[in-house]
Amino acid sequence: MRRVLLKLSGESFGGGSVGIDTDVVKRIAQEIKEAVRPTDGSSPVQVCVVNGGGNFFRGEELSKAGLDRNRGDYMGMLGTVMNSLALQEFLEQEGVVTRVQTAISMGQIAENYIPLKAIRDMEKGRVVVFGAGAGMPYFSTDTVAIQRALEMNCECVLMGKNGVDAVYDSDPATNPQAKKFEELTYTKALVDNLKVMDAAALSLARTNDISMRVFGLDVVGNVTKALRGGSVAVEENGDPLGTLVHV
């Protein structure tokens, strides 16, 4: 059975605002369910998730405002846990058994991160949501997503973005002539400083030869398409879904 990691931005949980947009999270949970427990006869997919926490806190931004960077990053990790619990709640409402594992011990609300247990849970059809980042400051959730995908032996990373549907050579919101990439190498993304994810995450993915597909979360159904298609996910018209990034 295929196994993939879904990376969700914190902004997507807030619908672009501070806090949690329950309508958005509920829709994402429903689309994950369609891949994990399909009703159309397609093969189920093993899914694990890493959430960002930008809808609550960003350690780097807090440090610019005068907060200690270490403390700010830990606050950001707590934000990812709140998002994880919200996603767990809506997945459970859809009938999908979900486990939240965190890199920081908080036994009353989540399990400790144990890789082999996470794999066993996915083999049983459960969704596993990883919270609290790496449990250490200075590590982005992008880097954690790659690291977790490697530990879970996932075939690819699916990077869901809020407000953009793929990788472009410039910001499409300010440049109507921005070029969309259907395919991209990690080396080009690093050399051209394209805003795919942070450099540490790109380097880790390139070194370990794991593919990644960047797609937009705004379109209903994209999460299911990405989970089912993985690195070869396509739109209904046959065009590639978002951008494939590879070695």
Side-chain angles (χ1 to χ4, degrees), residues 83-167:
N83 286 337
S84 297
L85 293 175
L87 182 59
Q88 179 187 37
E89 171 62 21
F90 285 111
L91 281 168
E92 294 275 0
Q93 287 184 17
E94 293 296 323
V96 179
V97 179
T98 306
R99 296 288 182 264
V100 174
Q101 291 194 0
T102 59
I104 299 174
S105 182
M106 44 186 77
Q108 287 180 297
I109 60 174
E111 301 173 351
N112 290 334
Y113 173 54
I114 303 175
L116 287 178
K117 188 176 187 308
I119 290 174
R120 297 294 178 266
D121 281 332
M122 283 187 283
E123 289 174 344
K124 294 176 181 178
R126 300 166 181 164
V127 171
V128 181
V129 185
F130 299 118
M136 299 178 289
Y138 299 98
F139 281 84
S140 73
T141 52
D142 287 345
T143 304
V144 173
I146 302 299
Q147 192 272 337
R148 293 285 187 264
L150 292 170
E151 276 200 285
M152 295 299 106
N153 298 314
C154 294
E155 69 173 47
C156 67
V157 175
L158 304 167
M159 181 75 61
K161 292 287 189 179
N162 188 54
V164 65
D165 63 344
V167 180

Side-chain angles (χ1 to χ4, degrees), residues 1-5 32-38 42-48 96 122-127 155-156 158 223-230:
M1 191 181 297
R2 295 177 50 250
R3 182 181 302 151
V4 298
L5 184 139
I32 292 174
K33 175 190 175 182
E34 286 301 314
V36 176
R37 299 179 60 181
S42 58
S43 299
V45 182
Q46 295 180 10
V47 176
C48 53
V96 179
M122 283 187 283
E123 289 174 344
K124 294 176 181 178
R126 300 166 181 164
V127 171
E155 69 173 47
C156 67
L158 304 167
V223 173
T224 303
K225 293 174 188 173
L227 293 175
R228 287 181 173 178

